[in-house]
Structures are given as structure tokens and as C-alpha cells.
DNA sequence: CAGTGGATGCTCT
DNA sequence: GAGCATCCACTGT
């Protein structure tokens, strides 16, 4: 079942854990999401914190769309916009389990090891072919497919990665025990 | 395994 | 001009 806009039109802190185990495909390439992070409007670590700019304009738009930005000059990062228009909240997709289109992923990444194909936001975007060209596109329309999960996953929680502000917030969610995480979750 | 540093480009002050 | 929501290769134990 494809998830529509209503799924994303909720608090980013409810949507983020609900995304674990959901399948993300871009042109048929992807798999179940195993790691995400939540960023809300009051969050000094979030792009929307300082107000609307050209780069983060999509974050201020309606929910259920992709927000894609360039990171450290050479990587792309994918977010799902949440809540209502103007709230500037989004979930960063950090890792997924490669399940569909492994050959395409291996070719784009130039590696064989399935464990490293999508274990990190930059790697995931490279493996799925995500660039700024997809920024602002709706997640329930091609090339995206976002499919509901079939079983309830066990979710681990911890601090976010790679930020210098609001580091104490436990807004990183992962599939407990997954070997496809960008880094292990802190043990319970 | 831990730590370090380079690549690289865009955004915002 | 500083500062990144990163990744990879390299060093040293």
C-alpha cells in the first residue's frame, strides 16, 4: 500500500519512528528504511531553524514531498517533509536495507558489499540516484514509491549523528539489530 | 578499532 | 570567509 500525504501530515516525532521498516523505492530501486532522524522547526540543528531560504524552501512547503540538499559539497541527502505547510519539519533518511535493484546500486556506488550500499545519507542517495532534481517532488508519485510496512519493527532510539547543535536530543531512530545502519545504535 | 585530514561546493553572515 | 544533517583513505595501535 502506498503512503499518501496524510501519513506525513503529523508531528515529525511521530512520523520518524513510523518510517522504520517502510519500503522506499526510486525508479524501483531501494528497500526497507532502517535509520532516520527527526528535525523540527524549533531545532537549532535543523535547516529550517533560521527561517526560509532558497535552499530549504521545500521544507516550508506541504508535507509528503522530498527535500534534497547537497551536503559537504559532494553528497546529497534526502528528507521527507512532515506536519503542515510552513512548519519546516522533516525526517532525514539515513539508511535502508538494499532489497530491490542491487545491480543498479552496485554500479552507482562502485562497490559490491551490500552492507555499504545504503548505510548513510550520502551513500543512500548515490545508490538510489537521488539528486537535487528530485527536490520538491511528491512521494506518492513517480519516481518515488513509499510502501507501508507489513510487520511492526523493533525500534532503537539514540542521539543524532554529525551535528554540532542540539546533540543531546534522542531523535535518531533505527531498526534494532539491523546490519545496514550507518552506525550501531547505542545499546539499550 | 580509533583518530585524522582531504575532497568539494553551496549557503548564509 | 566560515561552516557544514558526509565519505573515504590513510595512519597508528
Amino acid at each position: 500500500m502506498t503512503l499518501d500525504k496524510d501519513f506525513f501530515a503529523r508531528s515529525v516525532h511521530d512520523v520518524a519512528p513510523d518510517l522504520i521498516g517502510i519500503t522506499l523505492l526510486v525508479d524501483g530501486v531501494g528497500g526497507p528504511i532502517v535509520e532516520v532522524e527527526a528535525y523540527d522547526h524549533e531545532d537549532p540543528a535543523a535547516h529550517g531553524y533560521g527561517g526560509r531560504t532558497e535552499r530549504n524552501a521545500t521544507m516550508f512547503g506541504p508535507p509528503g514531498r522530498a527535500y534534497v540538499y547537497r551536503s559537504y559539497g559532494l553528497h546529497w541527502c534526502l528528507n521527507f517533509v512532515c506536519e503542515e505547510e510552513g512548519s519546516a519539519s522533516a525526517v532525514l533518511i539515513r539508511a535502508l536495507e538494499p532489497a530491490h535493484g542491487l545491480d543498479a546500486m552496485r554500479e552507482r556506488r562502485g562497490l559490491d558489499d551490500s552492507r555499504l550500499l545504503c548505510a548513510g545519507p550520502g551513500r543512500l542517495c548515490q545508490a538510489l540516484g537521488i539528486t537535487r532534481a528530485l527536490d520538491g517532488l511528491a512521494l506518492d508519485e513517480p519516481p518515488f514509491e513509499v510502501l507501508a510496512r507489513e510487520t511492526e519493527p523493533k525500534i532503537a532510539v539514540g542521539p543524532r549523528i554529525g551535528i554540532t547543535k542540539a546533540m543531546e536530543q534522542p531523535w535518531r531512530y533505527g531498526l534494532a539489530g539491523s546490519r545496514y545502519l550507518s552506525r550501531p545504535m547505542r545499546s539499550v
Side-chain angles (χ1 to χ4, degrees):
Chain A
M1 184 175 53
T2 301
L3 295 177
D4 63 9
K5 183 175 168 178
D6 292 340
F7 174 85
F8 297 100
R10 299 180 288 142
S11 164
V12 71
H13 299 294
D14 294 332
V15 175
D18 284 353
L19 281 170
I20 300 299
I22 274 173
T23 292
L24 165 67
L25 301 175
V26 179
D27 281 325
V29 177
I33 293 170
V34 299
E35 182 182 342
V36 300
E37 287 176 0
Y39 289 85
D40 74 39
H41 186 44
E42 316 247 301
D43 179 0
H47 287 177
Y49 183 69
R52 181 182 183 131
T53 65
E54 189 172 345
R55 174 180 68 157
N56 65 25
T58 299
M59 274 188 97
F60 287 80
R65 295 197 184 177
Y67 165 49
V68 181
Y69 68 93
R70 198 188 274 285
S71 168
Y72 290 93
L74 57 163
H75 303 288
W76 298 102
C77 289
L78 171 67
N79 294 252
F80 292 168
V81 178
C82 294
E83 301 185 9
E84 73 270 14
E85 182 157 358
S87 68
S89 67
V91 179
L92 171 67
I93 310 302
R94 289 193 54 89
L96 61 75
E97 174 182 337
H100 304 279
L102 277 280
D103 290 341
M105 293 187 196
R106 290 197 172 103
E107 184 170 344
R108 287 170 179 151
R109 295 271 299 121
L111 306 161
D112 282 340
D113 188 349
S114 67
R115 191 166 172 153
L116 296 176
L117 288 176
C118 300
R123 292 163 170 171
L124 185 153
C125 284
Q126 188 182 17
L128 271 57
I130 293 167
T131 69
R132 189 101 221 236
L134 302 185
D135 181 54
L137 297 187
L139 295 168
D140 57 356
E141 294 173 14
F144 288 107
E145 282 183 86
V146 182
L147 307 172
R149 61 195 179 200
E150 287 157 14
T151 60
E152 196 72 16
K154 275 215 169 87
I155 296 175
V157 180
R160 295 176 293 180
I161 292 178
I163 55 174
T164 57
K165 300 167 202 156
M167 298 174 59
E168 70 288 354
Q169 300 291 356
W171 290 341
R172 176 179 180 233
Y173 301 94
L175 176 61
S178 171
R179 53 193 287 263
Y180 298 101
L181 299 169
S182 67
R183 292 174 48 177
M185 302 298 295
R186 204 186 89 205
S187 58
V188 200

PDB file of all heavy atoms in Angstrom, chain A residues 72-108:
ATOM      1  N   TYR A  72      28.208  18.859   2.482  1.00  0.00           N
ATOM      2  CA  TYR A  72      29.669  18.884   2.427  1.00  0.00           C
ATOM      3  C   TYR A  72      30.181  18.971   0.996  1.00  0.00           C
ATOM      4  O   TYR A  72      31.234  18.419   0.680  1.00  0.00           O
ATOM      5  CB  TYR A  72      30.265  17.662   3.129  1.00  0.00           C
ATOM      6  CG  TYR A  72      30.076  17.717   4.618  1.00  0.00           C
ATOM      7  CD1 TYR A  72      28.975  17.127   5.217  1.00  0.00           C
ATOM      8  CD2 TYR A  72      30.989  18.393   5.415  1.00  0.00           C
ATOM      9  CE1 TYR A  72      28.795  17.187   6.583  1.00  0.00           C
ATOM     10  CE2 TYR A  72      30.819  18.463   6.790  1.00  0.00           C
ATOM     11  CZ  TYR A  72      29.716  17.860   7.361  1.00  0.00           C
ATOM     12  OH  TYR A  72      29.549  17.932   8.715  1.00  0.00           O
ATOM     13  N   GLY A  73      29.424  19.638   0.134  1.00  0.00           N
ATOM     14  CA  GLY A  73      29.905  19.904  -1.199  1.00  0.00           C
ATOM     15  C   GLY A  73      29.820  18.766  -2.187  1.00  0.00           C
ATOM     16  O   GLY A  73      29.877  19.010  -3.383  1.00  0.00           O
ATOM     17  N   LEU A  74      29.670  17.530  -1.730  1.00  0.00           N
ATOM     18  CA  LEU A  74      29.721  16.429  -2.695  1.00  0.00           C
ATOM     19  C   LEU A  74      28.713  15.314  -2.479  1.00  0.00           C
ATOM     20  O   LEU A  74      28.639  14.413  -3.307  1.00  0.00           O
ATOM     21  CB  LEU A  74      31.129  15.836  -2.776  1.00  0.00           C
ATOM     22  CG  LEU A  74      31.797  15.302  -1.525  1.00  0.00           C
ATOM     23  CD1 LEU A  74      32.949  14.410  -1.925  1.00  0.00           C
ATOM     24  CD2 LEU A  74      32.309  16.423  -0.646  1.00  0.00           C
ATOM     25  N   HIS A  75      27.929  15.365  -1.434  1.00  0.00           N
ATOM     26  CA  HIS A  75      26.921  14.328  -1.223  1.00  0.00           C
ATOM     27  C   HIS A  75      25.534  14.953  -1.277  1.00  0.00           C
ATOM     28  O   HIS A  75      25.373  16.135  -1.047  1.00  0.00           O
ATOM     29  CB  HIS A  75      27.100  13.672   0.154  1.00  0.00           C
ATOM     30  CG  HIS A  75      28.448  13.091   0.349  1.00  0.00           C
ATOM     31  ND1 HIS A  75      28.881  11.954  -0.282  1.00  0.00           N
ATOM     32  CD2 HIS A  75      29.503  13.513   1.090  1.00  0.00           C
ATOM     33  CE1 HIS A  75      30.115  11.688   0.068  1.00  0.00           C
ATOM     34  NE2 HIS A  75      30.531  12.624   0.896  1.00  0.00           N
ATOM     35  N   TRP A  76      24.537  14.080  -1.553  1.00  0.00           N
ATOM     36  CA  TRP A  76      23.145  14.509  -1.473  1.00  0.00           C
ATOM     37  C   TRP A  76      22.506  13.863  -0.252  1.00  0.00           C
ATOM     38  O   TRP A  76      22.873  12.742   0.123  1.00  0.00           O
ATOM     39  CB  TRP A  76      22.374  14.100  -2.726  1.00  0.00           C
ATOM     40  CG  TRP A  76      22.904  14.731  -3.973  1.00  0.00           C
ATOM     41  CD1 TRP A  76      23.701  14.146  -4.912  1.00  0.00           C
ATOM     42  CD2 TRP A  76      22.701  16.081  -4.404  1.00  0.00           C
ATOM     43  NE1 TRP A  76      24.004  15.062  -5.914  1.00  0.00           N
ATOM     44  CE2 TRP A  76      23.403  16.246  -5.620  1.00  0.00           C
ATOM     45  CE3 TRP A  76      21.996  17.182  -3.886  1.00  0.00           C
ATOM     46  CZ2 TRP A  76      23.419  17.452  -6.329  1.00  0.00           C
ATOM     47  CZ3 TRP A  76      22.010  18.370  -4.589  1.00  0.00           C
ATOM     48  CH2 TRP A  76      22.710  18.509  -5.792  1.00  0.00           C
ATOM     49  N   CYS A  77      21.539  14.543   0.353  1.00  0.00           N
ATOM     50  CA  CYS A  77      20.794  13.966   1.467  1.00  0.00           C
ATOM     51  C   CYS A  77      19.304  14.126   1.203  1.00  0.00           C
ATOM     52  O   CYS A  77      18.843  15.170   0.746  1.00  0.00           O
ATOM     53  CB  CYS A  77      21.152  14.650   2.779  1.00  0.00           C
ATOM     54  SG  CYS A  77      22.808  14.265   3.357  1.00  0.00           S
ATOM     55  N   LEU A  78      18.544  13.060   1.541  1.00  0.00           N
ATOM     56  CA  LEU A  78      17.108  13.005   1.279  1.00  0.00           C
ATOM     57  C   LEU A  78      16.315  13.119   2.580  1.00  0.00           C
ATOM     58  O   LEU A  78      16.613  12.437   3.563  1.00  0.00           O
ATOM     59  CB  LEU A  78      16.765  11.661   0.620  1.00  0.00           C
ATOM     60  CG  LEU A  78      15.281  11.339   0.462  1.00  0.00           C
ATOM     61  CD1 LEU A  78      14.618  12.281  -0.530  1.00  0.00           C
ATOM     62  CD2 LEU A  78      15.091   9.885   0.048  1.00  0.00           C
ATOM     63  N   ASN A  79      15.310  14.008   2.567  1.00  0.00           N
ATOM     64  CA  ASN A  79      14.386  14.161   3.699  1.00  0.00           C
ATOM     65  C   ASN A  79      12.961  14.010   3.212  1.00  0.00           C
ATOM     66  O   ASN A  79      12.662  14.305   2.045  1.00  0.00           O
ATOM     67  CB  ASN A  79      14.476  15.577   4.288  1.00  0.00           C
ATOM     68  CG  ASN A  79      15.810  15.877   4.923  1.00  0.00           C
ATOM     69  OD1 ASN A  79      15.917  15.961   6.117  1.00  0.00           O
ATOM     70  ND2 ASN A  79      16.829  16.068   4.109  1.00  0.00           N
ATOM     71  N   PHE A  80      12.061  13.625   4.148  1.00  0.00           N
ATOM     72  CA  PHE A  80      10.627  13.642   3.881  1.00  0.00           C
ATOM     73  C   PHE A  80      10.021  14.795   4.678  1.00  0.00           C
ATOM     74  O   PHE A  80      10.184  14.859   5.909  1.00  0.00           O
ATOM     75  CB  PHE A  80       9.973  12.333   4.335  1.00  0.00           C
ATOM     76  CG  PHE A  80      10.375  11.116   3.539  1.00  0.00           C
ATOM     77  CD1 PHE A  80      10.059   9.850   3.994  1.00  0.00           C
ATOM     78  CD2 PHE A  80      11.058  11.231   2.321  1.00  0.00           C
ATOM     79  CE1 PHE A  80      10.411   8.711   3.273  1.00  0.00           C
ATOM     80  CE2 PHE A  80      11.415  10.091   1.590  1.00  0.00           C
ATOM     81  CZ  PHE A  80      11.087   8.828   2.076  1.00  0.00           C
ATOM     82  N   VAL A  81       9.319  15.703   4.008  1.00  0.00           N
ATOM     83  CA  VAL A  81       8.707  16.845   4.685  1.00  0.00           C
ATOM     84  C   VAL A  81       7.467  16.383   5.454  1.00  0.00           C
ATOM     85  O   VAL A  81       6.660  15.599   4.926  1.00  0.00           O
ATOM     86  CB  VAL A  81       8.323  17.940   3.667  1.00  0.00           C
ATOM     87  CG1 VAL A  81       7.640  19.112   4.357  1.00  0.00           C
ATOM     88  CG2 VAL A  81       9.556  18.399   2.907  1.00  0.00           C
ATOM     89  N   CYS A  82       7.321  16.883   6.715  1.00  0.00           N
ATOM     90  CA  CYS A  82       6.214  16.454   7.578  1.00  0.00           C
ATOM     91  C   CYS A  82       5.384  17.636   8.073  1.00  0.00           C
ATOM     92  O   CYS A  82       5.661  18.783   7.730  1.00  0.00           O
ATOM     93  CB  CYS A  82       6.748  15.684   8.779  1.00  0.00           C
ATOM     94  SG  CYS A  82       7.515  14.139   8.318  1.00  0.00           S
ATOM     95  N   GLU A  83       4.377  17.300   8.880  1.00  0.00           N
ATOM     96  CA  GLU A  83       3.481  18.261   9.524  1.00  0.00           C
ATOM     97  C   GLU A  83       2.718  19.078   8.476  1.00  0.00           C
ATOM     98  O   GLU A  83       2.389  18.553   7.424  1.00  0.00           O
ATOM     99  CB  GLU A  83       4.248  19.111  10.540  1.00  0.00           C
ATOM    100  CG  GLU A  83       4.885  18.191  11.595  1.00  0.00           C
ATOM    101  CD  GLU A  83       5.571  18.905  12.731  1.00  0.00           C
ATOM    102  OE1 GLU A  83       5.448  20.135  12.842  1.00  0.00           O
ATOM    103  OE2 GLU A  83       6.233  18.226  13.528  1.00  0.00           O
ATOM    104  N   GLU A  84       2.437  20.348   8.775  1.00  0.00           N
ATOM    105  CA  GLU A  84       1.655  21.104   7.800  1.00  0.00           C
ATOM    106  C   GLU A  84       2.545  22.120   7.099  1.00  0.00           C
ATOM    107  O   GLU A  84       3.662  22.395   7.536  1.00  0.00           O
ATOM    108  CB  GLU A  84       0.457  21.800   8.454  1.00  0.00           C
ATOM    109  CG  GLU A  84       0.829  22.977   9.306  1.00  0.00           C
ATOM    110  CD  GLU A  84       1.085  22.584  10.752  1.00  0.00           C
ATOM    111  OE1 GLU A  84       1.223  21.389  11.024  1.00  0.00           O
ATOM    112  OE2 GLU A  84       1.154  23.489  11.586  1.00  0.00           O
ATOM    113  N   GLU A  85       2.020  22.647   6.002  1.00  0.00           N
ATOM    114  CA  GLU A  85       2.782  23.606   5.207  1.00  0.00           C
ATOM    115  C   GLU A  85       3.279  24.743   6.089  1.00  0.00           C
ATOM    116  O   GLU A  85       2.526  25.308   6.874  1.00  0.00           O
ATOM    117  CB  GLU A  85       1.889  24.140   4.088  1.00  0.00           C
ATOM    118  CG  GLU A  85       2.612  25.107   3.185  1.00  0.00           C
ATOM    119  CD  GLU A  85       1.964  25.191   1.820  1.00  0.00           C
ATOM    120  OE1 GLU A  85       0.985  24.479   1.584  1.00  0.00           O
ATOM    121  OE2 GLU A  85       2.461  25.981   0.999  1.00  0.00           O
ATOM    122  N   GLY A  86       4.552  25.083   5.968  1.00  0.00           N
ATOM    123  CA  GLY A  86       5.122  26.167   6.742  1.00  0.00           C
ATOM    124  C   GLY A  86       5.777  25.736   8.037  1.00  0.00           C
ATOM    125  O   GLY A  86       6.450  26.538   8.685  1.00  0.00           O
ATOM    126  N   SER A  87       5.588  24.486   8.450  1.00  0.00           N
ATOM    127  CA  SER A  87       6.135  24.054   9.749  1.00  0.00           C
ATOM    128  C   SER A  87       7.627  23.777   9.678  1.00  0.00           C
ATOM    129  O   SER A  87       8.301  23.771  10.695  1.00  0.00           O
ATOM    130  CB  SER A  87       5.407  22.805  10.244  1.00  0.00           C
ATOM    131  OG  SER A  87       5.713  21.718   9.412  1.00  0.00           O
ATOM    132  N   ALA A  88       8.167  23.553   8.491  1.00  0.00           N
ATOM    133  CA  ALA A  88       9.609  23.341   8.330  1.00  0.00           C
ATOM    134  C   ALA A  88      10.121  22.197   9.186  1.00  0.00           C
ATOM    135  O   ALA A  88      11.121  22.326   9.870  1.00  0.00           O
ATOM    136  CB  ALA A  88      10.372  24.632   8.632  1.00  0.00           C
ATOM    137  N   SER A  89       9.440  21.072   9.151  1.00  0.00           N
ATOM    138  CA  SER A  89       9.931  19.885   9.835  1.00  0.00           C
ATOM    139  C   SER A  89      10.104  18.773   8.816  1.00  0.00           C
ATOM    140  O   SER A  89       9.364  18.708   7.826  1.00  0.00           O
ATOM    141  CB  SER A  89       8.953  19.443  10.918  1.00  0.00           C
ATOM    142  OG  SER A  89       7.756  19.000  10.338  1.00  0.00           O
ATOM    143  N   ALA A  90      11.103  17.923   9.055  1.00  0.00           N
ATOM    144  CA  ALA A  90      11.388  16.885   8.072  1.00  0.00           C
ATOM    145  C   ALA A  90      12.133  15.738   8.728  1.00  0.00           C
ATOM    146  O   ALA A  90      12.727  15.897   9.797  1.00  0.00           O
ATOM    147  CB  ALA A  90      12.209  17.449   6.914  1.00  0.00           C
ATOM    148  N   VAL A  91      12.079  14.588   8.074  1.00  0.00           N
ATOM    149  CA  VAL A  91      12.805  13.402   8.545  1.00  0.00           C
ATOM    150  C   VAL A  91      13.922  13.098   7.551  1.00  0.00           C
ATOM    151  O   VAL A  91      13.674  12.949   6.351  1.00  0.00           O
ATOM    152  CB  VAL A  91      11.870  12.180   8.652  1.00  0.00           C
ATOM    153  CG1 VAL A  91      12.647  10.957   9.114  1.00  0.00           C
ATOM    154  CG2 VAL A  91      10.718  12.467   9.603  1.00  0.00           C
ATOM    155  N   LEU A  92      15.152  13.042   8.052  1.00  0.00           N
ATOM    156  CA  LEU A  92      16.314  12.684   7.232  1.00  0.00           C
ATOM    157  C   LEU A  92      16.371  11.164   7.095  1.00  0.00           C
ATOM    158  O   LEU A  92      16.359  10.448   8.100  1.00  0.00           O
ATOM    159  CB  LEU A  92      17.591  13.190   7.899  1.00  0.00           C
ATOM    160  CG  LEU A  92      18.916  12.725   7.282  1.00  0.00           C
ATOM    161  CD1 LEU A  92      19.119  13.299   5.893  1.00  0.00           C
ATOM    162  CD2 LEU A  92      20.090  13.083   8.185  1.00  0.00           C
ATOM    163  N   ILE A  93      16.427  10.675   5.857  1.00  0.00           N
ATOM    164  CA  ILE A  93      16.521   9.235   5.615  1.00  0.00           C
ATOM    165  C   ILE A  93      18.004   8.860   5.590  1.00  0.00           C
ATOM    166  O   ILE A  93      18.731   9.240   4.677  1.00  0.00           O
ATOM    167  CB  ILE A  93      15.851   8.861   4.270  1.00  0.00           C
ATOM    168  CG1 ILE A  93      14.451   9.470   4.179  1.00  0.00           C
ATOM    169  CG2 ILE A  93      15.810   7.348   4.115  1.00  0.00           C
ATOM    170  CD1 ILE A  93      13.511   9.077   5.287  1.00  0.00           C
ATOM    171  N   ARG A  94      18.460   8.122   6.596  1.00  0.00           N
ATOM    172  CA  ARG A  94      19.896   7.873   6.771  1.00  0.00           C
ATOM    173  C   ARG A  94      20.373   6.526   6.254  1.00  0.00           C
ATOM    174  O   ARG A  94      21.569   6.387   5.942  1.00  0.00           O
ATOM    175  CB  ARG A  94      20.270   7.983   8.255  1.00  0.00           C
ATOM    176  CG  ARG A  94      20.236   9.401   8.803  1.00  0.00           C
ATOM    177  CD  ARG A  94      20.917   9.446  10.172  1.00  0.00           C
ATOM    178  NE  ARG A  94      22.247   8.893  10.097  1.00  0.00           N
ATOM    179  CZ  ARG A  94      23.341   9.617   9.811  1.00  0.00           C
ATOM    180  NH1 ARG A  94      23.255  10.911   9.634  1.00  0.00           N
ATOM    181  NH2 ARG A  94      24.512   9.030   9.739  1.00  0.00           N
ATOM    182  N   ALA A  95      19.492   5.522   6.211  1.00  0.00           N
ATOM    183  CA  ALA A  95      19.963   4.206   5.763  1.00  0.00           C
ATOM    184  C   ALA A  95      18.773   3.328   5.423  1.00  0.00           C
ATOM    185  O   ALA A  95      17.700   3.470   5.999  1.00  0.00           O
ATOM    186  CB  ALA A  95      20.807   3.533   6.850  1.00  0.00           C
ATOM    187  N   LEU A  96      18.981   2.417   4.477  1.00  0.00           N
ATOM    188  CA  LEU A  96      17.975   1.392   4.202  1.00  0.00           C
ATOM    189  C   LEU A  96      18.660   0.084   3.852  1.00  0.00           C
ATOM    190  O   LEU A  96      19.861   0.045   3.577  1.00  0.00           O
ATOM    191  CB  LEU A  96      16.992   1.838   3.121  1.00  0.00           C
ATOM    192  CG  LEU A  96      17.469   2.174   1.716  1.00  0.00           C
ATOM    193  CD1 LEU A  96      17.813   0.941   0.900  1.00  0.00           C
ATOM    194  CD2 LEU A  96      16.373   2.960   0.994  1.00  0.00           C
ATOM    195  N   GLU A  97      17.851  -0.975   3.898  1.00  0.00           N
ATOM    196  CA  GLU A  97      18.357  -2.305   3.571  1.00  0.00           C
ATOM    197  C   GLU A  97      18.200  -2.535   2.081  1.00  0.00           C
ATOM    198  O   GLU A  97      17.074  -2.529   1.577  1.00  0.00           O
ATOM    199  CB  GLU A  97      17.559  -3.346   4.364  1.00  0.00           C
ATOM    200  CG  GLU A  97      17.913  -4.770   3.988  1.00  0.00           C
ATOM    201  CD  GLU A  97      17.075  -5.786   4.758  1.00  0.00           C
ATOM    202  OE1 GLU A  97      16.567  -5.435   5.845  1.00  0.00           O
ATOM    203  OE2 GLU A  97      16.926  -6.914   4.254  1.00  0.00           O
ATOM    204  N   PRO A  98      19.293  -2.714   1.357  1.00  0.00           N
ATOM    205  CA  PRO A  98      19.190  -2.900  -0.099  1.00  0.00           C
ATOM    206  C   PRO A  98      18.400  -4.166  -0.405  1.00  0.00           C
ATOM    207  O   PRO A  98      18.778  -5.252   0.014  1.00  0.00           O
ATOM    208  CB  PRO A  98      20.646  -3.054  -0.548  1.00  0.00           C
ATOM    209  CG  PRO A  98      21.462  -2.473   0.563  1.00  0.00           C
ATOM    210  CD  PRO A  98      20.688  -2.742   1.815  1.00  0.00           C
ATOM    211  N   ALA A  99      17.269  -4.005  -1.110  1.00  0.00           N
ATOM    212  CA  ALA A  99      16.412  -5.163  -1.386  1.00  0.00           C
ATOM    213  C   ALA A  99      16.029  -5.244  -2.858  1.00  0.00           C
ATOM    214  O   ALA A  99      15.835  -6.332  -3.378  1.00  0.00           O
ATOM    215  CB  ALA A  99      15.157  -5.101  -0.520  1.00  0.00           C
ATOM    216  N   HIS A 100      15.903  -4.112  -3.534  1.00  0.00           N
ATOM    217  CA  HIS A 100      15.495  -4.101  -4.946  1.00  0.00           C
ATOM    218  C   HIS A 100      16.495  -3.294  -5.766  1.00  0.00           C
ATOM    219  O   HIS A 100      16.902  -2.215  -5.361  1.00  0.00           O
ATOM    220  CB  HIS A 100      14.105  -3.465  -5.097  1.00  0.00           C
ATOM    221  CG  HIS A 100      13.056  -4.136  -4.257  1.00  0.00           C
ATOM    222  ND1 HIS A 100      12.424  -5.290  -4.634  1.00  0.00           N
ATOM    223  CD2 HIS A 100      12.570  -3.816  -3.040  1.00  0.00           C
ATOM    224  CE1 HIS A 100      11.570  -5.657  -3.680  1.00  0.00           C
ATOM    225  NE2 HIS A 100      11.632  -4.778  -2.703  1.00  0.00           N
ATOM    226  N   GLY A 101      16.874  -3.828  -6.910  1.00  0.00           N
ATOM    227  CA  GLY A 101      17.781  -3.103  -7.803  1.00  0.00           C
ATOM    228  C   GLY A 101      19.218  -3.099  -7.323  1.00  0.00           C
ATOM    229  O   GLY A 101      19.931  -2.115  -7.482  1.00  0.00           O
ATOM    230  N   LEU A 102      19.666  -4.210  -6.733  1.00  0.00           N
ATOM    231  CA  LEU A 102      21.027  -4.289  -6.201  1.00  0.00           C
ATOM    232  C   LEU A 102      22.089  -4.017  -7.260  1.00  0.00           C
ATOM    233  O   LEU A 102      23.112  -3.396  -6.954  1.00  0.00           O
ATOM    234  CB  LEU A 102      21.279  -5.683  -5.605  1.00  0.00           C
ATOM    235  CG  LEU A 102      20.826  -6.013  -4.176  1.00  0.00           C
ATOM    236  CD1 LEU A 102      21.821  -5.462  -3.175  1.00  0.00           C
ATOM    237  CD2 LEU A 102      19.441  -5.493  -3.880  1.00  0.00           C
ATOM    238  N   ASP A 103      21.835  -4.462  -8.484  1.00  0.00           N
ATOM    239  CA  ASP A 103      22.831  -4.249  -9.529  1.00  0.00           C
ATOM    240  C   ASP A 103      23.011  -2.768  -9.830  1.00  0.00           C
ATOM    241  O   ASP A 103      24.129  -2.281  -9.983  1.00  0.00           O
ATOM    242  CB  ASP A 103      22.432  -4.992 -10.812  1.00  0.00           C
ATOM    243  CG  ASP A 103      22.558  -6.500 -10.639  1.00  0.00           C
ATOM    244  OD1 ASP A 103      23.269  -6.922  -9.706  1.00  0.00           O
ATOM    245  OD2 ASP A 103      21.940  -7.228 -11.427  1.00  0.00           O
ATOM    246  N   ALA A 104      21.889  -2.044  -9.911  1.00  0.00           N
ATOM    247  CA  ALA A 104      21.967  -0.601 -10.162  1.00  0.00           C
ATOM    248  C   ALA A 104      22.715   0.088  -9.021  1.00  0.00           C
ATOM    249  O   ALA A 104      23.533   0.980  -9.240  1.00  0.00           O
ATOM    250  CB  ALA A 104      20.562  -0.026 -10.306  1.00  0.00           C
ATOM    251  N   MET A 105      22.424  -0.326  -7.776  1.00  0.00           N
ATOM    252  CA  MET A 105      23.110   0.279  -6.629  1.00  0.00           C
ATOM    253  C   MET A 105      24.610   0.019  -6.688  1.00  0.00           C
ATOM    254  O   MET A 105      25.417   0.927  -6.475  1.00  0.00           O
ATOM    255  CB  MET A 105      22.580  -0.317  -5.323  1.00  0.00           C
ATOM    256  CG  MET A 105      21.146   0.037  -5.006  1.00  0.00           C
ATOM    257  SD  MET A 105      20.760  -0.562  -3.336  1.00  0.00           S
ATOM    258  CE  MET A 105      18.971  -0.502  -3.375  1.00  0.00           C
ATOM    259  N   ARG A 106      24.973  -1.193  -6.989  1.00  0.00           N
ATOM    260  CA  ARG A 106      26.403  -1.549  -7.024  1.00  0.00           C
ATOM    261  C   ARG A 106      27.128  -0.755  -8.097  1.00  0.00           C
ATOM    262  O   ARG A 106      28.250  -0.301  -7.895  1.00  0.00           O
ATOM    263  CB  ARG A 106      26.572  -3.045  -7.272  1.00  0.00           C
ATOM    264  CG  ARG A 106      26.132  -3.888  -6.103  1.00  0.00           C
ATOM    265  CD  ARG A 106      26.682  -5.311  -6.195  1.00  0.00           C
ATOM    266  NE  ARG A 106      26.401  -6.035  -4.964  1.00  0.00           N
ATOM    267  CZ  ARG A 106      25.434  -6.946  -4.835  1.00  0.00           C
ATOM    268  NH1 ARG A 106      24.674  -7.253  -5.866  1.00  0.00           N
ATOM    269  NH2 ARG A 106      25.243  -7.539  -3.678  1.00  0.00           N
ATOM    270  N   GLU A 107      26.455  -0.581  -9.239  1.00  0.00           N
ATOM    271  CA  GLU A 107      27.094   0.158 -10.314  1.00  0.00           C
ATOM    272  C   GLU A 107      27.279   1.627  -9.927  1.00  0.00           C
ATOM    273  O   GLU A 107      28.337   2.206 -10.134  1.00  0.00           O
ATOM    274  CB  GLU A 107      26.249   0.028 -11.578  1.00  0.00           C
ATOM    275  CG  GLU A 107      26.904   0.695 -12.767  1.00  0.00           C
ATOM    276  CD  GLU A 107      26.195   0.351 -14.066  1.00  0.00           C
ATOM    277  OE1 GLU A 107      25.411  -0.624 -14.078  1.00  0.00           O
ATOM    278  OE2 GLU A 107      26.426   1.074 -15.058  1.00  0.00           O
ATOM    279  N   ARG A 108      26.221   2.229  -9.351  1.00  0.00           N
ATOM    280  CA  ARG A 108      26.327   3.649  -8.990  1.00  0.00           C
ATOM    281  C   ARG A 108      27.351   3.860  -7.880  1.00  0.00           C
ATOM    282  O   ARG A 108      28.038   4.876  -7.847  1.00  0.00           O
ATOM    283  CB  ARG A 108      24.973   4.148  -8.502  1.00  0.00           C
ATOM    284  CG  ARG A 108      23.953   4.313  -9.622  1.00  0.00           C
ATOM    285  CD  ARG A 108      22.574   4.573  -9.029  1.00  0.00           C
ATOM    286  NE  ARG A 108      21.568   4.760 -10.064  1.00  0.00           N
ATOM    287  CZ  ARG A 108      20.277   4.449  -9.891  1.00  0.00           C
ATOM    288  NH1 ARG A 108      19.861   3.943  -8.739  1.00  0.00           N
ATOM    289  NH2 ARG A 108      19.426   4.644 -10.858  1.00  0.00           N
TER     290      ARG A 108
END
